[in-house]
Amino acid sequence: MKESYWGYWLITLGVFIIVILMLISNVTTNNTQDYYLIKEVTSASMVDAINYGYYREYGELKIDREKFIESFLRRFAENVSFNTYQVDFYDIYEAPPKVSVKITTKSGSFIVAGDSASFDIVNKVDAILELSGADTQKG
């Protein structure tokens, strides 16, 4: 009888460890996917927001702030649902083009053994758009 209790405890412990590993894996996988999504959306939105008239006239890159925000939100909304994300924009400089974006992911709360835990994951991305391949020497 004593050995059977040890068997029950071992099975219960194994199930408990598997559940914890699945919860942690779900949170970390979502974090990695969110980071790369934010990085790609930020880069594409900066390219969409380039002011080509300013570039033709002065030869320097400049982005339009409102166009960047609109493009970022549109692209980001195509891939995720906004009820679990909070988007904040910091330091949007038009010339030279630099943006800082902070995304807070509000994950659901997990209830394990009567204790409730929730994880809010914050991803911050700073992006600078550079002009490459242009002839920088005059004359």
Side-chain angles (χ1 to χ4, degrees), residues 7-69:
Y8 293 141
W9 282 112
L10 222 81
I11 291 172
T12 305
L13 181 65
V15 169
F16 182 72
I17 289 173
I18 289 172
V19 167
I20 296 296
L21 287 175
M22 286 174 48
L23 293 175
I24 292 172
S25 174
N26 188 22
V27 170
T28 57
T29 301
N30 287 344
N31 183 33
T32 304
Q33 291 171 348
D34 289 345
Y35 172 75
Y36 285 109
L37 175 66
I38 295 164
K39 186 174 151 186
E40 293 297 321
V41 167
T42 302
S43 175
S45 298
M46 286 182 78
V47 171
D48 284 349
I50 293 175
N51 186 341
Y52 289 106
Y54 185 85
Y55 178 72
R56 278 196 268 325
E57 188 172 335
Y58 297 106
E60 296 176 3
L61 284 179
K62 181 178 179 181
I63 63 171
D64 184 18
R65 172 180 288 154
E66 288 79 19
K67 193 171 180 182
F68 168 76
I69 293 173

Side-chain angles (χ1 to χ4, degrees), residues 57-100:
E57 188 172 335
Y58 297 106
E60 296 176 3
L61 284 179
K62 181 178 179 181
I63 63 171
D64 184 18
R65 172 180 288 154
E66 288 79 19
K67 193 171 180 182
F68 168 76
I69 293 173
E70 177 186 343
S71 177
F72 183 90
L73 292 176
R74 180 182 45 82
R75 287 176 181 269
F76 194 70
E78 288 174 355
N79 296 300
V80 298
S81 73
F82 270 120
N83 59 358
T84 58
Y85 292 91
Q86 178 183 351
V87 180
D88 296 316
F89 296 101
Y90 298 100
D91 298 333
I92 298 178
Y93 295 113
E94 292 183 341
K98 179 209 179 270
V99 296
S100 297

